[in-house]
Amino acid sequence: MAATSRVPGFKDRTVEERRRIVTEHTRIPRGDLAALDPAAGLSLAQADHMIENVVGTIGIPVGVATNFTVNGRDRLVPMATEEPSVVAAASNAARMARDHGGFRTSSTGSVMIAQIQLVDVVDPYAARARILESTAEIAALADAQDPMLRSLGGGVRGVDARVVDTRAGRHVIVHLTVDVRDAMGANAVNTMAEAVAPRLAELGAGRALLRILSNKADLRLTRARAVFDAQQLGGPAVVDGIVQASALAEADPYRAATHNKGIMNGVTAVVLATGNDTRAVEAGCHSHAVQNGRYSALSRFEKDATGNLVGTLELPLAVGLVGGATRAHPAARVAIAILGVATATELADVIASVGLAQNLAACRALAAEGIQRGHMSLHARTIAASAGAGPDEIAAVAARLVADRQIRAEHAERVLRGLRGEGDPAAPAAGTALS
Ligand code: MEV
C-alpha cells in the first residue's frame, strides 16, 4: 500500500527520481528496486532453472501507474508492457475516478475448478449418480493431497459431475472445486485431479482421460466499479460517446474483441509484472466474454443519476502470490512489494481496477479526440530519445515533432541539432503526414 498514489509530475521525472518517489511512498528499501535493473534482474542461471533450452532473457519495460485508490487504499501499480500510452492512460483514468472514491471491488474468493474426463462409460447417468453419492470420499481423497492448503483454510469445496455429449461419444465430466487461497492453484488442483481419477474411473466404470484445471475460472470472479467524473472526462457529450462505445462492444463481437483487448492491456501488464500466468488469465477472461453463445464486452459503461460515468467490469482472475515466478522472479517480488498486496484477492482487486481504468481511457480517447493524438505524443518522445535527445531535451524535441506532424528519426535529429545551436535548424516540411 502506498502513502498516496497521487504523484503529480511523476512522468516527467528521471528513472532515478521515480525510484526514489516509489521507495518514499511505499517504504520499500531503495536497494530492493535494483531487482528491476536490466543487469540485476533475472539472471541467466535463474532463467535456466525456470524453463527449458534457455538461451537468454528478454527485457520488458516496467512502469508504475499512479492515482489508484482501490477499496479506499492507495496503490502504486507496477505494469510490464512494451506498448506506449498504456501506463499513462491507466494513471489518467484512475485520476478521474479519485474524486468519486476510486475503485470498489467484490469477489467470489479463490475457487478453482479441476476437470476429470471419464470415457467409455456404459451408463453415464448412473455413473454420475454413483460419483455424486461418493462426494465425501472424493473430497477427502483430494484434500489428503495438500495438507498445507487445508491448514491455511483452503481445500475442496465441492464435487460435481455432468454428462457431456461430444462427437467422440458421451463423457462423464467431474468437477472438483477447490479453494486455493493465495495460490494461482494450477499445481494444487492438477495434483488433486490426478489423485482422484482412478477412484472416479472405478465408480464410473469407465476410463479417466484428461485430468486438468479449467481456465474458465468462473468461480474466481472479481468485480470492479468506479465513477468517472463527467467534467474531467470532457463533458456530457464524451460521457454519451463512451456509453455508445460500450453499447457497440456489447452488441458486436468485432468491436468487443478490441474493447476487451484494451482491458487486457492493463490486466496483462500487472499479471506479467507480478510474475503470474498471463495466458491463464487471458484464456479465463476471453471465455468469460462469451454470453449466451456470443462473444461480447467484459465491461459496461452507463451514465449515473448525476450525469457522471459509471463503469463496471467482471473478470475471472486466477492469480496468486505464492509459488511459481511470483516468488522465483526477483522483479516480480519487487512488483508485489510495490503494490503492497497481502492476498491473492487483493491482487485481483487491483488487476480488475486497472483493467477498468485502461478500458475507460481507451473508450474516452476514442469517443473524444481519437487514439492517435496521445499515442503519437508518446511515440514522439521515444523517437526523440532514440535520436539522442537527453532528458532535458526530450520534451522540446517531441513537442516540435508533433507540431510539425513529422514523427520521424531524421526530423528529430534535425530538430535536436537546431535546439543545440549546431546549425541546420529544422524547418517544418509542408504537407507531411504523421508516420
Ligand atoms: C490498443 O492497444 C487498445 C485499443 O484499441 C482499445 C480500444 O479500442 O478500446 C485502443
Side-chain angles (χ1 to χ4, degrees):
M1 189 167 126
T4 172
S5 61
R6 186 89 189 95
V7 194
F10 191 61
K11 70 175 168 37
D12 302 318
R13 304 299 187 100
T14 63
V15 172
E16 265 316 302
E17 287 169 345
R18 289 190 205 117
R19 283 187 175 191
R20 181 181 49 73
I21 293 167
V22 168
T23 54
E24 281 169 7
H25 281 58
T26 56
R27 301 186 194 282
I28 298 175
R30 184 76 180 278
D32 288 9
L33 291 196
L36 296 170
D37 283 343
L42 187 70
S43 70
L44 264 185
Q46 286 167 316
D48 200 22
H49 286 116
M50 282 173 81
I51 65 163
E52 313 71 42
N53 302 1
V54 165
V55 294
T57 61
I58 185 167
I60 299 282
V62 176
V64 167
T66 55
N67 300 326
F68 275 87
T69 302
V70 181
N71 297 326
R73 292 177 170 191
D74 271 26
R75 308 266 187 200
L76 289 172
V77 186
M79 300 177 73
T81 180
E82 88 302 339
E83 183 168 334
S85 305
V86 163
V87 180
S91 306
N92 276 338
R95 186 173 40 76
M96 291 187 240
R98 271 185 93 78
D99 289 351
H100 301 274
F103 298 83
R104 293 274 156 201
T105 70
S106 63
S107 68
T108 54
S110 303
V111 177
M112 294 294 284
I113 299 167
Q115 295 193 294
I116 300 99
Q117 176 193 25
L118 298 182
V119 298
D120 304 335
V121 181
V122 284
D123 53 354
Y125 289 97
R128 172 179 181 273
R130 291 193 295 273
I131 288 166
L132 292 177
E133 286 155 25
S134 305
T135 294
E137 179 199 342
I138 299 298
L141 187 55
D143 271 337
Q145 308 308 310
D146 204 333
M148 173 64 102
L149 184 60
R150 288 281 292 162
S151 73
L152 294 169
V156 176
R157 294 290 181 261
V159 177
D160 198 6
R162 290 173 299 137
V163 176
V164 177
D165 279 324
T166 78
R167 69 181 171 80
R170 193 162 266 191
H171 300 165
V172 178
I173 306 302
V174 182
H175 281 191
L176 281 183
T177 53
V178 184
D179 185 337
V180 297
R181 311 307 281 182
D182 289 324
M184 183 274 183
N187 277 335
V189 304
N190 290 342
T191 304
M192 289 179 179
E194 291 191 2
V196 300
R199 179 66 182 133
L200 290 174
E202 237 168 64
L203 289 163
R207 186 164 56 87
L209 194 58
L210 303 189
R211 295 145 295 161
I212 188 77
L213 92 167
S214 170
N215 285 120
K216 185 168 170 52
D218 56 7
L219 299 177
R220 198 173 189 173
L221 299 176
T222 304
R223 305 169 200 103
R225 176 178 63 87
V227 174
F228 300 94
D229 190 82
Q231 281 316 312
Q232 293 183 45
L233 284 167
V238 177
V239 171
D240 289 340
I242 296 170
V243 172
Q244 283 171 326
S246 175
L248 175 63
E250 286 159 42
D252 175 19
Y254 283 90
R255 174 58 203 153
T258 322
H259 181 93
N260 291 344
K261 191 274 185 181
I263 294 170
M264 300 313 288
N265 275 345
V267 168
T268 302
V270 186
V271 173
L272 182 61
T274 55
N276 274 286
D277 184 338
T278 52
R279 289 82 54 215
V281 169
E282 282 165 0
C285 289
H286 289 295
S287 67
H288 200 59
V290 178
Q291 291 153 15
N292 305 321
R294 196 177 64 189
Y295 185 85
S296 181
L298 284 159
S299 64
R300 296 287 182 271
F301 287 105
E302 304 162 288
K303 189 154 64 170
D304 74 8
T306 59
N308 289 318
L309 186 78
V310 55
T312 46
L313 174 66
E314 180 181 275
L315 299 176
L317 288 172
V319 291
L321 289 180
V322 295
T326 48
R327 280 277 166 87
H329 198 302
R333 282 205 304 270
V334 175
I336 289 165
I338 293 172
L339 268 176
V341 289
T343 64
T345 303
E346 279 183 17
L347 174 59
D349 291 342
V350 175
I351 293 173
S353 303
V354 175
L356 182 57
Q358 205 73 55
N359 187 210
L360 177 276
C363 290
R364 198 211 68 83
L366 289 167
E369 72 273 2
I371 211 79
Q372 284 303 77
R373 196 166 87 190
H375 187 72
M376 280 304 161
S377 10
L378 283 172
H379 182 50
R381 293 176 68 92
T382 312
I383 297 287
S386 29
D392 300 342
E393 297 165 320
I394 288 177
V397 174
R400 180 65 187 271
L401 300 187
V402 172
D404 292 351
R405 298 175 64 79
Q406 281 197 74
I407 304 176
R408 277 205 276 268
E410 69 276 10
H411 189 52
E413 283 161 19
R414 254 186 308 154
V415 170
L416 194 57
R417 283 198 296 276
L419 194 73
R420 290 174 178 171
E422 296 170 0
D424 186 18
T432 355
L434 290 173
S435 64

